[in-house]
Amino acid sequence: MSECLCSGESFTVCDSPARRQWIMATAGAGGALALTAIVPFVSSLMPSERALAAGAPVEVDIGKLAPGEMMVVEWRGKPVWILNRTPEMLAALKKAEPMLADPASAVTSQQPAYAANETRSRVPEMLVAVGICTHLGCSPSNAFTPGDPALGADWPGGFLCPCHGSTFDFAGRVFKHKPAPTNLEIPPHQYLTDTRLIIGSDEFDKT
């Protein structure tokens, strides 16, 4: 049964089960189209994977990192080492200097100015370095034990790239006569507190 709701000189609108079903179907389709239009808009307000990969800073809690321990975080799709160096590791830096290709970090592109020092860091104990070999992009492994038989009795401890044999000290400085041409990269970073570190941004960042 239909019921006429409105009529005029040139039209008559009647209510019927068929008409109600048609209106509900049309409204549902319209809602779906509206939602489809809204989703890309909302997504555009969120950081994209490309934006994150382009260099969004990473904040890290280092409060539980004990001396001698290292943690790895990801920044720009790259592993970043955070090593809490022991007094023995710091002492090994001086021992390694005669064997290094660039002990004074003269290649300025490999670290910010505030890390162009013996420890290549803002806080002497804390090494913050990109864990990618500067030769062909492999990831070095820990070789912390001094005098490791595989590396020689004069090995002061540091890192070994297993791909082609490049070695680095506890400051990420490359040893002489190795395939890697430069020291490891030190990323921009700063300490927000004694236990909070941000990687990928510092007080000189104007972006």
Side-chain angles (χ1 to χ4, degrees):
M1 177 178 179
S2 341
E3 179 183 354
C4 293
L5 302 176
C6 180
S7 62
E9 292 183 357
S10 59
F11 66 89
T12 299
V13 177
C14 295
D15 187 28
S16 68
R19 180 176 180 276
R20 285 195 296 271
Q21 289 176 5
W22 180 82
I23 290 173
M24 291 175 65
T26 304
L33 290 172
L35 183 60
T36 302
I38 289 171
V39 169
F41 174 73
V42 173
S43 297
S44 72
L45 301 178
M46 302 171 64
S48 65
E49 290 184 7
R50 179 179 296 179
L52 292 173
V58 177
E59 190 172 330
V60 187
D61 183 355
I62 58 172
K64 296 182 180 179
L65 192 65
E69 291 184 348
M70 186 176 83
M71 63 188 299
V72 181
V73 299
E74 183 177 347
W75 170 68
R76 291 188 173 182
K78 299 181 285 189
V80 175
W81 299 337
I82 306 171
L83 171 64
N84 188 352
R85 293 176 287 204
T86 64
E88 292 76 17
M89 289 175 172
L90 290 172
L93 298 180
K94 181 61 70 175
K95 178 182 178 182
E97 282 187 358
M99 299 179 277
L100 301 176
D102 183 14
S105 300
V107 181
T108 58
S109 62
Q110 292 308 106
Q111 65 279 313
Y114 48 74
N117 50 50
E118 181 183 83
T119 61
R120 300 187 79 217
S121 62
R122 308 194 76 154
V123 174
E125 293 80 9
M126 289 292 177
L127 171 68
V128 180
V130 175
I132 295 179
C133 181
T134 54
H135 178 218
L136 292 177
C138 301
S139 185
S141 57
N142 301 348
F144 289 174
T145 306
D148 187 318
L151 295 169
D154 61 347
W155 173 245
F159 303 92
L160 166 68
C161 183
C163 298
H164 302 95
S166 293
T167 49
F168 304 86
D169 76 344
F170 286 118
R173 299 176 296 182
V174 67
F175 282 77
K176 294 177 181 177
H177 314 303
K178 300 294 181 178
T182 60
N183 297 338
L184 298 180
E185 177 190 357
I186 305 296
H189 63 281
Q190 62 179 317
Y191 293 86
L192 305 177
T193 68
D194 289 344
T195 61
R196 302 295 297 181
L197 169 68
I198 188 165
I199 299 167
S201 179
D202 56 28
E203 66 271 34
F204 306 106
D205 186 4
K206 303 302 182 183
T207 58

